[in-house]
Amino acid sequence: MNVLDGKYTQAYTVQSHFIDGACRFTLLGMLAKSQDLVSFHFGENRLSIPHLNEHGRTWVVSKQHFEIDEYPLWRDELALQSWMEPVQGPFVTYNYAYSFVEPHGKKLTAEQCILNEPVTVQTQLLPFLKATSLWILLDVNTLRPVRPTEPEFARFITCTEKTVQTKFPKLELPEQWHVEQEFCPTRLDIDLNGHVNNLEYIKYIMSWLPDQVSHGKLVCTLDTNYLSSAHISDTLICRSAIQSESETQTVVVHSIVRGDNSEVFRARSVWQEEWTLSRRMDVMNAHQANTGVC
């Protein structure tokens, strides 16, 4: 990982364990890479969760905002950038920007699969994913926020640039839910802090959706709000409802609550037709593809 203009940059090739049935880089995969980036950055400066646990502290993510203009395909070559803004107040703001590597970031598979439909929204040299997130230092015993101090963060290279301009708006709940699913976390969902990992909440809300959303559409915007911790002993209910629909977008509100109706997570996702956000691989007709890399 290199540092350029205060931004940590990592090369990444989309792997098979992070693609869907259409060979697209999944939303969960993109978010997992963002967690890897911030973990690496904090760890390099000895402020990762294992480092902090030695001093009775830990990191938790509070809010996130993601904007996605295109879903890369399997084996596309990417440049993942992340950086921390100068510390102000109790929160640490962390940004992400994913781009295709120039000039040949968009690749075909080894079988030279052809592209049936051109992408309609991607612009070369600009990030296809932009995101920002808020992190909080917590005392593991009292669960109270700990204000970041200058000596702790003096080692960090920061950058004042913002990927997106957002104030993390309040996410309003609907009057009724279209989907409600009860479930229990498993041992595989638990993270270093002993509670459900923040990525698992995304997996939960993407697992139970209204039928008209889950087929033929992809997320272009995602806002998340982590309200409290869930544990393996909790019985949870994942709820979702369509907030609004238009010819171009569908807005869905999500909420995860415990059995006593106390809320642990809230999110809002905006969906578009998949052809507006991705190229399409025709693996069945790969033998018809021209040689070379596009």
Side-chain angles (χ1 to χ4, degrees):
M1 184 174 287
N2 300 316
V3 181
L4 180 63
D5 297 330
K7 302 175 182 178
Y8 278 73
T9 303
Q10 182 183 62
Y12 178 71
T13 300
V14 180
Q15 304 295 307
S16 60
H17 57 273
F18 275 145
I19 61 173
D20 62 15
C23 293
R24 295 178 299 230
F25 197 11
T26 63
L27 174 68
L28 194 63
M30 289 190 240
L31 271 61
K33 292 308 298 180
S34 71
Q35 182 165 292
D36 285 344
L37 291 169
V38 69
S39 297
F40 185 92
H41 193 178
F42 287 154
E44 192 177 61
N45 291 276
R46 300 191 60 80
L47 284 173
S48 67
I49 289 177
H51 291 118
L52 291 173
N53 284 168
E54 296 179 359
H55 305 284
R57 297 180 180 182
T58 192
W59 285 112
V60 294
V61 62
S62 175
K63 297 180 180 182
Q64 296 172 306
H65 175 83
F66 290 85
E67 297 179 3
I68 304 170
D69 290 334
E70 181 176 354
Y71 282 68
L73 301 182
W74 174 45
R75 299 187 69 221
D76 277 351
E77 294 180 355
L78 313 176
L80 312 182
Q81 287 189 309
S82 65
W83 63 94
M84 187 178 74
E85 295 181 24
V87 177
Q88 295 181 349
F91 294 101
V92 170
T93 302
Y94 209 86
N95 295 280
Y96 314 91
Y98 298 177
S99 305
F100 288 98
V101 173
E102 299 298 333
H104 298 300
K106 291 185 179 182
K107 296 205 171 191
L108 303 179
T109 67
E111 294 83 2
Q112 297 175 336
C113 301
I114 63 173
L115 308 180
N116 281 342
E117 296 178 3
V119 65
T120 60
V121 295
Q122 194 268 345
T123 302
Q124 293 285 28
L125 302 177
L126 296 178
F128 63 83
L129 178 146
K130 296 178 291 185
T132 187
S133 57
L134 292 180
W135 295 78
I136 307 174
L137 271 175
L138 284 187
D139 184 297
V140 297
N141 296 313
T142 66
L143 298 182
R144 293 181 177 275
V146 177
R147 193 178 185 88
T149 62
E150 182 62 30
E152 288 178 317
F153 289 87
R155 298 185 296 271
F156 276 82
I157 299 173
T158 61
C159 177
T160 58
E161 181 181 335
K162 294 181 180 293
T163 49
V164 293
Q165 299 295 329
T166 179
K167 295 182 179 180
F168 299 103
K170 183 179 179 180
L171 307 180
E172 300 290 345
L173 295 179
E175 294 182 359
Q176 63 179 5
W177 299 100
H178 298 146
V179 175
E180 294 188 72
Q181 178 66 48
E182 184 176 290
F183 67 99
C184 294
T186 72
R187 290 183 178 87
L188 298 180
D189 300 338
I190 306 305
D191 65 10
L192 290 172
N193 288 323
H195 54 59
V196 173
N197 185 276
N198 68 83
L199 291 174
E200 299 303 320
Y201 296 107
I202 310 300
K203 184 177 72 175
Y204 299 152
I205 65 173
M206 295 298 148
S207 296
W208 295 294
L209 291 163
D211 290 339
Q212 58 267 48
V213 176
S214 57
H215 300 292
K217 292 184 173 65
L218 293 170
V219 172
C220 62
T221 305
L222 177 67
D223 287 286
T224 67
N225 192 348
Y226 297 86
L227 302 172
S228 63
S229 299
H231 301 83
I232 194 170
S233 59
D234 290 333
T235 296
L236 303 176
I237 301 172
C238 183
R239 312 179 296 184
S240 63
I242 294 177
Q243 187 178 62
S244 63
E245 287 186 279
S246 68
E247 291 184 0
T248 58
Q249 292 185 337
T250 301
V251 180
V252 183
V253 177
H254 315 266
S255 174
I256 297 176
V257 298
R258 297 185 184 86
D260 61 4
N261 210 39
S262 58
E263 194 172 23
V264 298
F265 177 77
R266 188 180 299 187
R268 179 174 60 203
S269 57
V270 182
W271 301 71
Q272 290 182 193
E273 295 294 333
E274 60 185 2
W275 65 268
T276 67
L277 294 171
S278 70
R279 296 145 36 224
R280 186 168 66 122
M281 282 188 174
D282 188 350
V283 179
M284 298 301 295
N285 294 322
H287 64 280
Q288 299 175 4
N290 295 324
T291 59
V293 174
C294 296

